[in-house]
Amino acid sequence: MTPSKRLAPALVLFLVPVAAWAAWLGWDQHRDVHPDGSVSGPYEAWQVIGLLLTLLVAVGRAASRRHVTAAVLGTTAGLTAAACYDWSDDSSGLFVIGAGLVAVASLVATAAVATVIAAVTGHGRESHPRATGE
């Protein structure tokens, strides 16, 4: 397999979370001020759920097609890059901690999801003719 064919799934799985972040979260930058003075946001629960479901479909599809490593690393890198870009205007610098948490959580979650899907679909390992005796 050529290097470009190996990198293509990872590149696609890097771009999907970036686009999904922009579609679900990137447009909403307003914090909600409640009557008691407390502040929440900028994201609503439905936006985050939409992002997670979009990523679940992408990771599931890739894992079911034997692209487990690309699903995990590409999705994690894309989601982390999107968070860094979106939150980088935070003057306190705390966005780095948030982006780090996104990186760790997405790595763990995508690894778990991709592993389960690959195992369920029977694509956990690529079969080789020599290994199977074919």
Side-chain angles (χ1 to χ4, degrees):
M1 183 180 288
T2 63
S4 63
K5 285 187 179 181
R6 288 184 191 178
L7 288 176
L11 179 61
V12 168
L13 288 158
F14 174 84
L15 295 174
V16 166
V18 170
W21 185 287
W24 288 104
L25 306 178
W27 56 271
D28 189 358
Q29 301 298 317
H30 298 58
R31 297 205 177 266
D32 300 323
V33 180
H34 302 285
D36 64 356
S38 64
V39 179
S40 66
Y43 314 125
E44 299 291 332
W46 66 267
Q47 292 172 283
V48 177
I49 292 168
L51 173 66
L52 294 177
L53 291 175
T54 302
L55 297 178
L56 179 64
V57 169
V59 169
R61 184 169 169 91
S64 69
R65 296 178 187 276
R66 296 187 176 141
H67 299 297
V68 174
T69 303
V72 174
L73 298 180
T75 303
T76 299
L79 202 57
T80 304
C84 282
Y85 179 79
D86 193 21
W87 298 340
S88 64
D89 61 350
D90 175 31
S91 61
S92 71
L94 290 176
F95 80 92
V96 175
I97 294 171
L101 292 172
V102 167
V104 170
S106 62
L107 180 66
V108 170
T110 56
V113 168
T115 300
V116 167
I117 290 173
V120 167
T121 60
H123 296 307
R125 296 183 187 176
E126 189 173 335
S127 62
H128 296 288
R130 289 184 194 168
T132 59
E134 295 176 10

